[in-house]
Amino acid sequence: MNKLFLEKKFKDYYIKNKIDLPRYFEKREFAFVPITSQHFTMQRHLAFKSYQEFKSYVLRNVPAHIYYSSAYYLKPDAEKMDEKGWIAADLIFDIDADHLPVKLDFERSLKLAKKELKKLLIVLRKDFGIKDDEVEVYFSGSRGYHVHVYSEDFIKLNSQERKEIVDYIVLNSPDIKFDSNVSERVLKYMKKYSKSFEEALEKLRIHIDSPVTADVKRLIRLPGSLHGKTGLKVVKVEDVDNFDPLTDSVVFGEERISVRLLSNVNLRLKDFKLKAKAGEVVSVPEFMAIFLICREVAKF
Amino acid sequence: MIPLFPIISRYPFLKVAAKVFENLKVEDEILKFPEVLEEAKKIVELSLEGKKFERKYLKVDIICSSCDEKCVKCRSLGNFENCNFCCNCFKNCKKKLPEEEWKFEAKRSVLRYVVTRSLASQLEERERMRFAVVEASYYADLLKSESDAVVKLLASDFGLKLRSWNTHVVSYVRASSRIKSPEWRLINRKISLGYVRTDRREVERIIVEILRSKLMEKTPTLFELKIKKKRKLKEFEVEHGNVEAKFFPPCMKEILIQLKNGLNVSHSARFAIASFLLNIGMKVEEVVEIFRTTPDFNEEKTRYQVEHIAGQKGRGVEYVSPSCDTMKTYQLCISNCKVNHPINYYRKVKKSRKEKSEHV
């Protein structure tokens, strides 16, 4: 019943909305997890030549999750990875609240993730010289942000080379005896706040999920698709400061629906605040109901 | 093209050389240059012994640098920074130059290079690595004496983006990700708007690193020539007072054999062997000698580092050599000795052998 409801709602979304497929989508691998799948089985190694082809696939097997490869391949639908023929891959950064050093509630951890995002964007612009029109930022639909870099210079980097960039971003054991940007920043911070070297590193490091950036064959959540664990949209962040993930990613309607809570909930989506205990039956807007059902904290 | 010929005669591996001589029929041309085969063979054979083969080349610099003729409107004219090798500037060149003689030398050099690569491709990976190290270091020496314009021309040919001598971060990590020394790590660098602060010497190193990995790649076989190889790598024999190499664990023996044979040994392997030898009682001076056979040997640097490991510099404590776990992480472990530390292997084996010989 819950799955059928979600399937219907997700399908409606994909019928009514056009999804802008990523650049060179014909050269990328797509992967899906259908809503009806029992154990998160992923259907991989798919490729599409047109938007129509993609759309009809999605409507036939309504997905809870849609991914595409950061890599461009000669044969994106080859079953074996080494037969795909790697050409290049977007440089991806994943800022996930789960990888932050503190554990907070949904809303506050997203605020923290945004702070990291802003730190990252400054470094990408100032140090790496990446121009604003070569970067796109997406809310992941759940606990963080994805940063996609399309610059022709960067997409050719291999994994080992990307690790150099990762080390730079996460401040992996810098040696401050060298005259470098990092030692300059670390020493300045230590002096200004009279903190230790380790404290300065912890404060200045940007918490990205390192393996994602180093991986040149990663599957990334498709912009414009819905996150099956929240029902929120993977939405482009145009204005970082004014972006509110818990409003701007909501796609479903306001119509009231009654659901029974399976655990305590304290949450805001758009302007709707819900604070209730497990076992209660609450009447909430559709978008909130879908969020709760996706998270498996409520059912009809 | 003409002003390029002397450069090609020195650096026949350039992409632009392939463009200039795109219709070269190696099998036919080689008949006109019989000495090329022998030279190529010599280059490969000597490289396996860690020796460079000195070759003849045209010593002329790019004449554009000293020419006032504005033959074409181009930002890269004369300095070759980020040159895309459209070669339009050369098409209009009106200088009276010994074209035929230069072209002949350039062609000879390209042929020799093609044959050398083809021969090297028939080597085992380890030997090919030695070939690449020795050849790259030959070109590294040559580069030092070049004008700025030539170094920038090579950089452009390798697709390196430069702004004066600063290197674009993407070009930079292509080389730095292969160099295992802290001052090359991106995190220890000055970097601004996509450009890493580097100087000419470092740009040369970047070119050489990329060249080295290029020389490691295999090319199609053109000739089956018998390469003379010493069948077995020289074994390492050392008796220094109490230190006996025959009791060394396999991992350390392997590193020593590689060092003795002039292979380029990784930084972590160098640290491992140096700390191991010091730990078991060898003197700094003796350990420095071990490194003398490395292709990039620098006595002063080596002594400093060995002294540092010995605790005579810096923090004043002798470093303990890496444990078996660490050796595995560095992919230096090559055997299953059932000990947890290379030093323990040495002590155990030495003790048991000594006891045996005493009892016989």
Side-chain angles (χ1 to χ4, degrees), chain A residues 125-129 153-154 157 160-161 164-165 167-168 171-175 178-182 184, chain B residues 161 168-170 172-174 176-178 182-195 197:
Chain A
R125 194 170 56 233
K126 283 196 169 168
D127 293 356
F128 289 90
D153 287 324
F154 287 87
L157 291 172
Q160 205 186 351
E161 292 157 358
E164 286 279 293
I165 295 176
D167 281 352
Y168 189 95
L171 303 190
N172 181 13
S173 41
D175 190 334
F178 296 109
D179 178 19
S180 69
N181 292 21
V182 170
E184 208 170 81
Chain B
K161 257 169 92 173
H168 189 270
V169 58
V170 168
Y172 180 85
V173 295
R174 271 171 70 193
S176 76
S177 62
R178 302 165 195 277
E183 71 255 37
W184 277 91
R185 291 185 64 210
L186 188 62
I187 192 171
N188 293 330
R189 282 286 167 160
K190 272 270 184 201
I191 160 172
S192 172
L193 293 173
Y195 283 83
R197 192 162 78 193

Side-chain angles (χ1 to χ4, degrees), chain A residues 27-247:
Chain A
K27 291 195 159 51
R28 303 193 193 245
E29 176 193 351
F30 281 81
F32 301 83
V33 179
I35 288 188
T36 47
S37 99
Q38 289 296 322
H39 305 287
F40 205 87
T41 15
M42 193 183 270
Q43 287 160 1
R44 285 198 60 175
H45 311 303
L46 294 150
F48 301 104
K49 290 198 173 58
S50 68
Y51 177 69
Q52 270 316 314
E53 212 181 297
F54 167 81
K55 183 160 183 170
S56 65
Y57 181 92
V58 167
L59 296 183
R60 259 183 291 128
N61 321 266
V62 180
H65 306 276
I66 310 181
Y67 304 92
Y68 75 103
S69 64
S70 62
Y72 317 104
Y73 299 107
L74 291 172
K75 288 187 208 158
D77 53 354
E79 295 270 326
K80 286 185 184 144
M81 291 309 283
D82 48 3
E83 285 168 7
K84 285 188 191 291
W86 189 88
I87 302 169
D90 304 329
L91 181 65
I92 305 284
F93 298 93
D94 177 19
I95 294 171
D96 194 317
D98 292 337
H99 288 93
L100 297 179
V102 274
K103 296 279 165 261
L104 293 168
D105 65 65
F106 201 47
E107 188 162 357
R108 280 195 290 170
S109 62
L110 279 171
K111 279 205 175 117
L112 226 56
K114 200 201 241 185
K115 260 191 169 167
E116 297 296 305
L117 170 67
K118 287 167 85 170
K119 273 156 74 183
L120 175 66
L121 291 174
I122 289 172
V123 169
L124 291 184
R125 194 170 56 233
K126 283 196 169 168
D127 293 356
F128 289 90
I130 295 168
K131 299 188 189 70
D132 289 346
D133 61 356
E134 298 169 329
V135 193
E136 281 173 7
V137 179
Y138 292 93
F139 170 56
S140 76
S142 178
R143 316 243 321 141
Y145 293 92
H146 296 162
V147 176
H148 302 218
V149 175
Y150 302 114
S151 152
E152 289 301 323
D153 287 324
F154 287 87
I155 62 174
K156 283 280 182 189
L157 291 172
N158 68 26
S159 179
Q160 205 186 351
E161 292 157 358
R162 286 173 202 233
K163 276 187 192 130
E164 286 279 293
I165 295 176
V166 170
D167 281 352
Y168 189 95
I169 304 277
V170 304
L171 303 190
N172 181 13
S173 41
D175 190 334
I176 44 173
K177 79 164 182 272
F178 296 109
D179 178 19
S180 69
N181 292 21
V182 170
S183 62
E184 208 170 81
R185 280 169 205 161
V186 169
L187 292 171
K188 195 172 150 196
Y189 186 89
M190 287 165 70
K191 208 171 151 199
K192 190 169 172 190
Y193 299 99
S194 40
K195 296 282 185 191
S196 72
F197 175 63
E198 281 74 22
E199 284 167 322
L201 280 194
E202 189 46 44
K203 191 70 195 174
L204 297 173
R205 119 176 343 129
I206 304 172
H207 294 86
I208 57 167
D209 185 7
S210 304
V212 174
T213 302
D215 192 345
V216 293
K217 296 175 178 175
R218 196 76 174 191
L219 291 174
I220 316 289
R221 201 171 277 284
L222 182 71
S225 69
L226 299 177
H227 191 304
K229 285 258 183 286
T230 60
L232 299 176
K233 178 181 161 182
V234 183
V235 63
K236 189 166 175 182
V237 180
E238 302 279 4
D239 173 1
V240 177
D241 284 316
N242 293 316
F243 181 79
D244 175 16
L246 299 183
T247 297

Side-chain angles (χ1 to χ4, degrees), chain B residues 36-101:
Chain B
V36 159
L37 278 179
E38 276 312 304
E39 285 173 358
K41 215 174 125 185
K42 208 67 203 213
I43 289 174
V44 177
E45 283 173 0
L46 281 177
S47 77
L48 295 182
E49 295 169 31
K51 291 183 199 138
K52 293 169 201 162
F53 177 78
E54 293 303 330
R55 43 213 102 155
K56 273 200 341 196
Y57 50 78
L58 295 167
K59 292 203 169 80
V60 189
D61 193 6
I62 303 177
I63 25 275
C64 307
S65 321
S66 57
C67 176
D68 299 328
E69 202 87 34
K70 290 275 169 279
C71 28
V72 69
K73 244 189 154 174
C74 176
R75 278 188 57 203
S76 306
L77 191 70
N79 67 25
F80 294 96
E81 188 167 306
N82 303 329
C83 169
N84 65 359
F85 295 97
C86 67
C87 293
N88 287 334
C89 52
F90 297 138
K91 272 184 196 144
N92 300 331
C93 185
K94 291 192 189 73
K95 281 219 161 182
K96 280 216 159 39
L97 299 163
E99 179 175 359
E100 278 312 305
E101 184 199 328

Side-chain angles (χ1 to χ4, degrees), chain B residues 297-337:
Chain B
F297 182 71
N298 175 327
E299 182 154 352
E300 202 184 328
K301 261 194 190 166
T302 308
R303 178 164 298 110
Y304 179 86
Q305 278 160 355
V306 174
E307 281 174 354
H308 189 90
I309 298 169
Q312 296 171 6
K313 287 262 155 67
R315 54 177 206 162
V317 186
E318 182 170 308
Y319 279 82
V320 178
S321 71
S323 66
C324 293
D325 277 345
T326 312
M327 294 293 280
K328 277 181 195 130
T329 312
Y330 291 153
Q331 298 181 334
L332 296 172
C333 174
I334 53 166
S335 165
N336 185 10
C337 315

